[in-house]
Amino acid sequence: MLLSKAAIGSKVKVVSLESKGLLRRRMMDLGLIPDSEIEVIRESPLGDPRAYGIKGSQIALRREEASQIVVEVVN
Amino acid sequence: MGLTCESCSRGVLKKKFNLRCGEKFVIALAGNPNVGKSTVFNELTGLKQHTGNWPGKTVVNARGNYRYEDMEFVLMDLPGTYSLLASSVEEQVARDFICFGQPDVTIVVVDGTCLERNLNLVLQVMELTHNVVVCVNLIDEAERKGIFIDIKALEEELGVPVVGTIAREGVGLEELKRRVLNVALNIENLNPKKISYSKPVEDAIKGIEPEIDRILKGKLNSRWVALRLIDGDNTIVNSIYEHIYDKKTLEIEGEEVLVNA
Ligand SMILES: Nc1nc2c(ncn2[C@@H]2O[C@H](COP(=O)(O)OP(=O)(O)OP(=O)(O)O)[C@@H](O)[C@H]2O)c(=O)[nH]1
Ligand SMILES: [Mg+2]
């Protein structure tokens, strides 16, 4: 599943990053590395961006960014 | 000790960032957004930088002074950044100062409630410079969450001074000033953790480092620049051109350093 499709309130974990180059690096610096857990916190009024809880901080990601992160639902 | 224009190659850079030369140490305050950098800044300098409980309050560098043990320190409060990869204007402001302002010491303020996320920046700064002091802030919040940080173990692991603080209450700031002075005077026993990469990456570094070194004229850590190029970060090329080959100047107006793009 793609992170951009994960339901609000759900908890997922990173399987892989599809992005390349600097965007990939940027995602990793935000704490998005395989196995890190992400909570889908809420979406902005227009649905994009959405706020995610990653390693103790809330991070806003745009759909185009979140759609390049492959995740799976945890329990 | 202390540095003067004549006695050190950093004189020119200090001038460019418009920091007065002489018996002053330049200290940078770096860290992730919203970890208490400006609170530390205010406590040390007595100034009132914007603070508040949301990220992104500090957008340009702010400058202040403090005295400790009869020595003058110039403290630069930088915008919050998750990495030294400059992917926003704020991040570039912070990155460029840490790289090209050549501070005597960089304090990396980290959030004690989520160390893991914050240590990414610590390691990145340590790849660039060895003159680092880690300030583990929000110790009170961490304890409220049942997190107790073994400062000593962290210090041994990282090989640079680590100080626990509750900046809002001034707790730990004497120790912070002491360790910063020690690093500035080069009397701490530093043994910074060295990060090694896989063989292909290390080989790539070896291949380009000598040429990079020639271009940098010793003004920036060539291994670090090699890694950025391998990352594909072209913003560093522009910044090197602008700062080392003297095109861009940074000016101070009042308490604030504004970057002229
Ligand atoms: N409980 C507690 N709160 C603190 C401490 N240090 C700072 N704060 C609070 O944390 C919030 C953020 O502090 P700032 O100093 O604005 O953080 P900053 O790192 O400068 O943030 P940016 O400039 O946005 O990156 C403020 O509400 C501070 O009062 C601390 O040690 N304990
Ligand atoms: Mg601030």
Side-chain angles (χ1 to χ4, degrees), chain A residues 21-22 25-26 28-31 33 54-59, chain B residues 82-83 85 87 91 114 116-117 120 124 228 231-234:
Chain A
L22 280 188
R25 178 68 211 231
R26 165 94 187 139
M28 287 165 65
D29 280 336
L30 290 175
I33 48 177
I54 305 165
K55 293 193 197 296
S57 310
Q58 272 196 36
I59 307 272
Chain B
Y82 286 113
S83 77
L85 180 84
S87 51
E91 290 197 346
C114 48
E116 185 192 351
R117 117 158 350 276
N120 183 45
Q124 287 192 12
R228 296 296 72 75
D231 270 345
D233 179 0
N234 290 326

PDB file of all heavy atoms in Angstrom, chain A residues 21-22 25-26 28-31 33 54-59, chain B residues 82-83 85 87 91 114 116-117 120 124 228 231-234:
ATOM      1  N   GLY A  21      17.214   9.913  -5.489  1.00  0.00           N
ATOM      2  CA  GLY A  21      18.011  11.136  -5.382  1.00  0.00           C
ATOM      3  C   GLY A  21      17.719  11.933  -4.126  1.00  0.00           C
ATOM      4  O   GLY A  21      17.544  11.381  -3.047  1.00  0.00           O
ATOM      5  N   LEU A  22      17.619  13.254  -4.309  1.00  0.00           N
ATOM      6  CA  LEU A  22      17.504  14.141  -3.163  1.00  0.00           C
ATOM      7  C   LEU A  22      16.210  13.972  -2.397  1.00  0.00           C
ATOM      8  O   LEU A  22      16.182  14.115  -1.186  1.00  0.00           O
ATOM      9  CB  LEU A  22      17.629  15.604  -3.610  1.00  0.00           C
ATOM     10  CG  LEU A  22      19.060  16.069  -3.848  1.00  0.00           C
ATOM     11  CD1 LEU A  22      19.074  17.562  -4.088  1.00  0.00           C
ATOM     12  CD2 LEU A  22      19.969  15.713  -2.680  1.00  0.00           C
ATOM     13  N   ARG A  25      16.627  11.128  -0.138  1.00  0.00           N
ATOM     14  CA  ARG A  25      17.486  11.535   0.968  1.00  0.00           C
ATOM     15  C   ARG A  25      16.675  12.352   1.995  1.00  0.00           C
ATOM     16  O   ARG A  25      16.765  12.177   3.192  1.00  0.00           O
ATOM     17  CB  ARG A  25      18.638  12.378   0.388  1.00  0.00           C
ATOM     18  CG  ARG A  25      19.583  12.918   1.411  1.00  0.00           C
ATOM     19  CD  ARG A  25      20.341  11.777   2.031  1.00  0.00           C
ATOM     20  NE  ARG A  25      20.672  12.094   3.394  1.00  0.00           N
ATOM     21  CZ  ARG A  25      21.896  11.995   3.903  1.00  0.00           C
ATOM     22  NH1 ARG A  25      22.877  11.590   3.156  1.00  0.00           N
ATOM     23  NH2 ARG A  25      22.109  12.301   5.157  1.00  0.00           N
ATOM     24  N   ARG A  26      15.877  13.254   1.447  1.00  0.00           N
ATOM     25  CA  ARG A  26      15.043  14.120   2.280  1.00  0.00           C
ATOM     26  C   ARG A  26      14.077  13.264   3.127  1.00  0.00           C
ATOM     27  O   ARG A  26      13.909  13.491   4.311  1.00  0.00           O
ATOM     28  CB  ARG A  26      14.263  15.070   1.368  1.00  0.00           C
ATOM     29  CG  ARG A  26      13.109  15.780   1.995  1.00  0.00           C
ATOM     30  CD  ARG A  26      13.533  17.138   2.515  1.00  0.00           C
ATOM     31  NE  ARG A  26      12.481  17.775   3.279  1.00  0.00           N
ATOM     32  CZ  ARG A  26      12.692  18.438   4.406  1.00  0.00           C
ATOM     33  NH1 ARG A  26      13.901  18.540   4.893  1.00  0.00           N
ATOM     34  NH2 ARG A  26      11.703  19.001   5.042  1.00  0.00           N
ATOM     35  N   MET A  28      14.454  10.201   4.040  1.00  0.00           N
ATOM     36  CA  MET A  28      15.210   9.469   5.050  1.00  0.00           C
ATOM     37  C   MET A  28      15.587  10.387   6.217  1.00  0.00           C
ATOM     38  O   MET A  28      15.562   9.974   7.381  1.00  0.00           O
ATOM     39  CB  MET A  28      16.459   8.840   4.424  1.00  0.00           C
ATOM     40  CG  MET A  28      16.116   7.645   3.544  1.00  0.00           C
ATOM     41  SD  MET A  28      17.451   7.124   2.458  1.00  0.00           S
ATOM     42  CE  MET A  28      18.654   6.580   3.636  1.00  0.00           C
ATOM     43  N   ASP A  29      15.935  11.633   5.898  1.00  0.00           N
ATOM     44  CA  ASP A  29      16.280  12.588   6.958  1.00  0.00           C
ATOM     45  C   ASP A  29      15.073  12.894   7.845  1.00  0.00           C
ATOM     46  O   ASP A  29      15.215  13.278   8.999  1.00  0.00           O
ATOM     47  CB  ASP A  29      16.832  13.892   6.368  1.00  0.00           C
ATOM     48  CG  ASP A  29      18.289  13.749   5.968  1.00  0.00           C
ATOM     49  OD1 ASP A  29      18.978  12.875   6.521  1.00  0.00           O
ATOM     50  OD2 ASP A  29      18.736  14.516   5.100  1.00  0.00           O
ATOM     51  N   LEU A  30      13.873  12.748   7.291  1.00  0.00           N
ATOM     52  CA  LEU A  30      12.671  12.967   8.105  1.00  0.00           C
ATOM     53  C   LEU A  30      12.354  11.742   8.961  1.00  0.00           C
ATOM     54  O   LEU A  30      11.402  11.750   9.726  1.00  0.00           O
ATOM     55  CB  LEU A  30      11.477  13.300   7.207  1.00  0.00           C
ATOM     56  CG  LEU A  30      11.534  14.666   6.519  1.00  0.00           C
ATOM     57  CD1 LEU A  30      10.355  14.836   5.571  1.00  0.00           C
ATOM     58  CD2 LEU A  30      11.560  15.793   7.539  1.00  0.00           C
ATOM     59  N   GLY A  31      13.141  10.692   8.813  1.00  0.00           N
ATOM     60  CA  GLY A  31      12.960   9.504   9.651  1.00  0.00           C
ATOM     61  C   GLY A  31      12.243   8.372   8.936  1.00  0.00           C
ATOM     62  O   GLY A  31      11.864   7.388   9.556  1.00  0.00           O
ATOM     63  N   ILE A  33      12.601   5.459   7.118  1.00  0.00           N
ATOM     64  CA  ILE A  33      13.481   4.405   6.668  1.00  0.00           C
ATOM     65  C   ILE A  33      12.732   3.086   6.884  1.00  0.00           C
ATOM     66  O   ILE A  33      11.793   3.043   7.676  1.00  0.00           O
ATOM     67  CB  ILE A  33      14.825   4.418   7.424  1.00  0.00           C
ATOM     68  CG1 ILE A  33      14.587   4.525   8.923  1.00  0.00           C
ATOM     69  CG2 ILE A  33      15.686   5.569   6.959  1.00  0.00           C
ATOM     70  CD1 ILE A  33      15.855   4.477   9.736  1.00  0.00           C
ATOM     71  N   ILE A  54       5.954  10.803  12.895  1.00  0.00           N
ATOM     72  CA  ILE A  54       7.131   9.997  12.556  1.00  0.00           C
ATOM     73  C   ILE A  54       8.209  10.199  13.606  1.00  0.00           C
ATOM     74  O   ILE A  54       8.695  11.314  13.793  1.00  0.00           O
ATOM     75  CB  ILE A  54       7.693  10.400  11.167  1.00  0.00           C
ATOM     76  CG1 ILE A  54       6.608  10.307  10.094  1.00  0.00           C
ATOM     77  CG2 ILE A  54       8.886   9.518  10.803  1.00  0.00           C
ATOM     78  CD1 ILE A  54       6.969  11.028   8.807  1.00  0.00           C
ATOM     79  N   LYS A  55       8.556   9.180  14.299  1.00  0.00           N
ATOM     80  CA  LYS A  55       9.609   9.224  15.317  1.00  0.00           C
ATOM     81  C   LYS A  55       9.468  10.426  16.244  1.00  0.00           C
ATOM     82  O   LYS A  55      10.419  11.158  16.492  1.00  0.00           O
ATOM     83  CB  LYS A  55      11.002   9.210  14.675  1.00  0.00           C
ATOM     84  CG  LYS A  55      11.328   7.898  13.963  1.00  0.00           C
ATOM     85  CD  LYS A  55      12.795   7.812  13.617  1.00  0.00           C
ATOM     86  CE  LYS A  55      13.091   6.759  12.567  1.00  0.00           C
ATOM     87  NZ  LYS A  55      12.794   5.394  13.000  1.00  0.00           N
ATOM     88  N   GLY A  56       8.258  10.628  16.736  1.00  0.00           N
ATOM     89  CA  GLY A  56       8.059  11.645  17.758  1.00  0.00           C
ATOM     90  C   GLY A  56       7.780  13.060  17.261  1.00  0.00           C
ATOM     91  O   GLY A  56       7.594  13.964  18.059  1.00  0.00           O
ATOM     92  N   SER A  57       7.770  13.298  15.949  1.00  0.00           N
ATOM     93  CA  SER A  57       7.399  14.627  15.439  1.00  0.00           C
ATOM     94  C   SER A  57       6.259  14.503  14.449  1.00  0.00           C
ATOM     95  O   SER A  57       6.076  13.467  13.812  1.00  0.00           O
ATOM     96  CB  SER A  57       8.553  15.298  14.689  1.00  0.00           C
ATOM     97  OG  SER A  57       9.718  15.267  15.416  1.00  0.00           O
ATOM     98  N   GLN A  58       5.510  15.597  14.327  1.00  0.00           N
ATOM     99  CA  GLN A  58       4.496  15.652  13.274  1.00  0.00           C
ATOM    100  C   GLN A  58       5.122  16.248  12.025  1.00  0.00           C
ATOM    101  O   GLN A  58       5.691  17.324  12.065  1.00  0.00           O
ATOM    102  CB  GLN A  58       3.338  16.553  13.707  1.00  0.00           C
ATOM    103  CG  GLN A  58       2.277  15.803  14.484  1.00  0.00           C
ATOM    104  CD  GLN A  58       0.986  16.596  14.550  1.00  0.00           C
ATOM    105  OE1 GLN A  58       0.614  17.285  13.608  1.00  0.00           O
ATOM    106  NE2 GLN A  58       0.312  16.487  15.681  1.00  0.00           N
ATOM    107  N   ILE A  59       4.997  15.532  10.939  1.00  0.00           N
ATOM    108  CA  ILE A  59       5.603  15.977   9.691  1.00  0.00           C
ATOM    109  C   ILE A  59       4.505  16.038   8.631  1.00  0.00           C
ATOM    110  O   ILE A  59       3.729  15.098   8.490  1.00  0.00           O
ATOM    111  CB  ILE A  59       6.678  14.965   9.221  1.00  0.00           C
ATOM    112  CG1 ILE A  59       7.698  14.691  10.325  1.00  0.00           C
ATOM    113  CG2 ILE A  59       7.308  15.399   7.923  1.00  0.00           C
ATOM    114  CD1 ILE A  59       8.870  15.595  10.384  1.00  0.00           C
TER     115      ILE A  59
ATOM    116  N   TYR B  82      16.049  19.515   9.892  1.00  0.00           N
ATOM    117  CA  TYR B  82      16.136  18.078  10.142  1.00  0.00           C
ATOM    118  C   TYR B  82      17.419  17.483   9.602  1.00  0.00           C
ATOM    119  O   TYR B  82      17.788  16.367   9.937  1.00  0.00           O
ATOM    120  CB  TYR B  82      14.939  17.344   9.528  1.00  0.00           C
ATOM    121  CG  TYR B  82      13.664  17.564  10.301  1.00  0.00           C
ATOM    122  CD1 TYR B  82      12.598  18.286   9.758  1.00  0.00           C
ATOM    123  CD2 TYR B  82      13.536  17.068  11.600  1.00  0.00           C
ATOM    124  CE1 TYR B  82      11.443  18.501  10.482  1.00  0.00           C
ATOM    125  CE2 TYR B  82      12.378  17.290  12.325  1.00  0.00           C
ATOM    126  CZ  TYR B  82      11.334  17.999  11.765  1.00  0.00           C
ATOM    127  OH  TYR B  82      10.203  18.206  12.485  1.00  0.00           O
ATOM    128  N   SER B  83      18.070  18.214   8.721  1.00  0.00           N
ATOM    129  CA  SER B  83      19.298  17.671   8.154  1.00  0.00           C
ATOM    130  C   SER B  83      20.123  18.809   7.575  1.00  0.00           C
ATOM    131  O   SER B  83      19.685  19.947   7.509  1.00  0.00           O
ATOM    132  CB  SER B  83      18.975  16.663   7.059  1.00  0.00           C
ATOM    133  OG  SER B  83      18.603  17.329   5.875  1.00  0.00           O
ATOM    134  N   LEU B  85      20.907  18.785   4.569  1.00  0.00           N
ATOM    135  CA  LEU B  85      20.492  18.851   3.178  1.00  0.00           C
ATOM    136  C   LEU B  85      19.587  20.072   3.086  1.00  0.00           C
ATOM    137  O   LEU B  85      18.592  20.139   3.777  1.00  0.00           O
ATOM    138  CB  LEU B  85      19.704  17.592   2.837  1.00  0.00           C
ATOM    139  CG  LEU B  85      19.184  17.446   1.437  1.00  0.00           C
ATOM    140  CD1 LEU B  85      20.286  16.881   0.565  1.00  0.00           C
ATOM    141  CD2 LEU B  85      17.997  16.506   1.419  1.00  0.00           C
ATOM    142  N   SER B  87      16.812  21.743   1.893  1.00  0.00           N
ATOM    143  CA  SER B  87      15.666  21.615   1.005  1.00  0.00           C
ATOM    144  C   SER B  87      14.645  22.711   1.226  1.00  0.00           C
ATOM    145  O   SER B  87      13.577  22.683   0.650  1.00  0.00           O
ATOM    146  CB  SER B  87      15.038  20.230   1.126  1.00  0.00           C
ATOM    147  OG  SER B  87      14.798  19.930   2.459  1.00  0.00           O
ATOM    148  N   GLU B  91      16.449  25.897   5.938  1.00  0.00           N
ATOM    149  CA  GLU B  91      17.486  24.879   6.092  1.00  0.00           C
ATOM    150  C   GLU B  91      18.790  25.322   5.446  1.00  0.00           C
ATOM    151  O   GLU B  91      19.867  25.033   5.942  1.00  0.00           O
ATOM    152  CB  GLU B  91      17.027  23.536   5.499  1.00  0.00           C
ATOM    153  CG  GLU B  91      15.937  22.903   6.324  1.00  0.00           C
ATOM    154  CD  GLU B  91      15.739  21.427   6.028  1.00  0.00           C
ATOM    155  OE1 GLU B  91      16.259  20.938   5.007  1.00  0.00           O
ATOM    156  OE2 GLU B  91      15.069  20.783   6.825  1.00  0.00           O
ATOM    157  N   CYS B 114      12.493  12.637  21.877  1.00  0.00           N
ATOM    158  CA  CYS B 114      12.628  11.817  20.658  1.00  0.00           C
ATOM    159  C   CYS B 114      14.054  11.907  20.139  1.00  0.00           C
ATOM    160  O   CYS B 114      14.322  12.507  19.103  1.00  0.00           O
ATOM    161  CB  CYS B 114      11.599  12.195  19.597  1.00  0.00           C
ATOM    162  SG  CYS B 114      11.421  13.933  19.256  1.00  0.00           S
ATOM    163  N   GLU B 116      16.068   9.623  18.893  1.00  0.00           N
ATOM    164  CA  GLU B 116      16.441   8.921  17.670  1.00  0.00           C
ATOM    165  C   GLU B 116      16.372   9.844  16.457  1.00  0.00           C
ATOM    166  O   GLU B 116      17.319   9.959  15.683  1.00  0.00           O
ATOM    167  CB  GLU B 116      15.530   7.707  17.451  1.00  0.00           C
ATOM    168  CG  GLU B 116      15.958   6.885  16.244  1.00  0.00           C
ATOM    169  CD  GLU B 116      14.919   5.849  15.828  1.00  0.00           C
ATOM    170  OE1 GLU B 116      13.933   5.658  16.576  1.00  0.00           O
ATOM    171  OE2 GLU B 116      15.087   5.258  14.770  1.00  0.00           O
ATOM    172  N   ARG B 117      15.229  10.538  16.342  1.00  0.00           N
ATOM    173  CA  ARG B 117      15.059  11.423  15.202  1.00  0.00           C
ATOM    174  C   ARG B 117      16.115  12.526  15.204  1.00  0.00           C
ATOM    175  O   ARG B 117      16.655  12.902  14.175  1.00  0.00           O
ATOM    176  CB  ARG B 117      13.644  12.013  15.222  1.00  0.00           C
ATOM    177  CG  ARG B 117      13.586  13.478  15.371  1.00  0.00           C
ATOM    178  CD  ARG B 117      12.326  14.173  14.889  1.00  0.00           C
ATOM    179  NE  ARG B 117      11.385  13.389  14.125  1.00  0.00           N
ATOM    180  CZ  ARG B 117      11.470  13.171  12.823  1.00  0.00           C
ATOM    181  NH1 ARG B 117      12.455  13.686  12.137  1.00  0.00           N
ATOM    182  NH2 ARG B 117      10.571  12.460  12.211  1.00  0.00           N
ATOM    183  N   ASN B 120      20.078  12.044  14.009  1.00  0.00           N
ATOM    184  CA  ASN B 120      20.431  12.122  12.588  1.00  0.00           C
ATOM    185  C   ASN B 120      21.204  13.406  12.293  1.00  0.00           C
ATOM    186  O   ASN B 120      22.276  13.381  11.686  1.00  0.00           O
ATOM    187  CB  ASN B 120      19.150  12.054  11.747  1.00  0.00           C
ATOM    188  CG  ASN B 120      19.440  12.061  10.249  1.00  0.00           C
ATOM    189  OD1 ASN B 120      20.327  11.365   9.780  1.00  0.00           O
ATOM    190  ND2 ASN B 120      18.695  12.864   9.499  1.00  0.00           N
ATOM    191  N   GLN B 124      25.183  14.117  11.279  1.00  0.00           N
ATOM    192  CA  GLN B 124      25.512  14.886  10.067  1.00  0.00           C
ATOM    193  C   GLN B 124      26.456  16.041  10.378  1.00  0.00           C
ATOM    194  O   GLN B 124      27.396  16.310   9.641  1.00  0.00           O
ATOM    195  CB  GLN B 124      24.238  15.421   9.415  1.00  0.00           C
ATOM    196  CG  GLN B 124      23.442  14.320   8.739  1.00  0.00           C
ATOM    197  CD  GLN B 124      22.345  14.872   7.858  1.00  0.00           C
ATOM    198  OE1 GLN B 124      22.295  16.062   7.573  1.00  0.00           O
ATOM    199  NE2 GLN B 124      21.460  14.016   7.425  1.00  0.00           N
ATOM    200  N   ARG B 228      28.108  14.759  -0.087  1.00  0.00           N
ATOM    201  CA  ARG B 228      26.963  15.526  -0.593  1.00  0.00           C
ATOM    202  C   ARG B 228      26.851  15.360  -2.108  1.00  0.00           C
ATOM    203  O   ARG B 228      25.767  15.270  -2.647  1.00  0.00           O
ATOM    204  CB  ARG B 228      27.086  17.013  -0.231  1.00  0.00           C
ATOM    205  CG  ARG B 228      27.048  17.312   1.267  1.00  0.00           C
ATOM    206  CD  ARG B 228      25.745  16.974   1.949  1.00  0.00           C
ATOM    207  NE  ARG B 228      25.478  15.568   2.125  1.00  0.00           N
ATOM    208  CZ  ARG B 228      26.064  14.788   3.040  1.00  0.00           C
ATOM    209  NH1 ARG B 228      26.963  15.261   3.854  1.00  0.00           N
ATOM    210  NH2 ARG B 228      25.760  13.521   3.135  1.00  0.00           N
ATOM    211  N   ASP B 231      25.372  12.192  -2.813  1.00  0.00           N
ATOM    212  CA  ASP B 231      23.932  12.319  -2.569  1.00  0.00           C
ATOM    213  C   ASP B 231      23.205  12.944  -3.759  1.00  0.00           C
ATOM    214  O   ASP B 231      21.995  12.819  -3.897  1.00  0.00           O
ATOM    215  CB  ASP B 231      23.676  13.282  -1.391  1.00  0.00           C
ATOM    216  CG  ASP B 231      23.624  12.570  -0.054  1.00  0.00           C
ATOM    217  OD1 ASP B 231      23.504  11.338  -0.050  1.00  0.00           O
ATOM    218  OD2 ASP B 231      23.692  13.263   0.971  1.00  0.00           O
ATOM    219  N   GLY B 232      23.946  13.703  -4.560  1.00  0.00           N
ATOM    220  CA  GLY B 232      23.321  14.444  -5.655  1.00  0.00           C
ATOM    221  C   GLY B 232      22.839  15.813  -5.232  1.00  0.00           C
ATOM    222  O   GLY B 232      21.969  16.403  -5.875  1.00  0.00           O
ATOM    223  N   ASP B 233      23.400  16.333  -4.136  1.00  0.00           N
ATOM    224  CA  ASP B 233      22.976  17.642  -3.627  1.00  0.00           C
ATOM    225  C   ASP B 233      23.754  18.758  -4.322  1.00  0.00           C
ATOM    226  O   ASP B 233      24.864  19.104  -3.930  1.00  0.00           O
ATOM    227  CB  ASP B 233      23.218  17.700  -2.111  1.00  0.00           C
ATOM    228  CG  ASP B 233      22.816  19.038  -1.510  1.00  0.00           C
ATOM    229  OD1 ASP B 233      22.352  19.926  -2.269  1.00  0.00           O
ATOM    230  OD2 ASP B 233      22.965  19.204  -0.299  1.00  0.00           O
ATOM    231  N   ASN B 234      23.154  19.336  -5.361  1.00  0.00           N
ATOM    232  CA  ASN B 234      23.863  20.369  -6.109  1.00  0.00           C
ATOM    233  C   ASN B 234      23.844  21.724  -5.429  1.00  0.00           C
ATOM    234  O   ASN B 234      24.610  22.608  -5.785  1.00  0.00           O
ATOM    235  CB  ASN B 234      23.301  20.486  -7.525  1.00  0.00           C
ATOM    236  CG  ASN B 234      23.673  19.264  -8.343  1.00  0.00           C
ATOM    237  OD1 ASN B 234      24.752  18.689  -8.162  1.00  0.00           O
ATOM    238  ND2 ASN B 234      22.777  18.845  -9.223  1.00  0.00           N
TER     239      ASN B 234
END
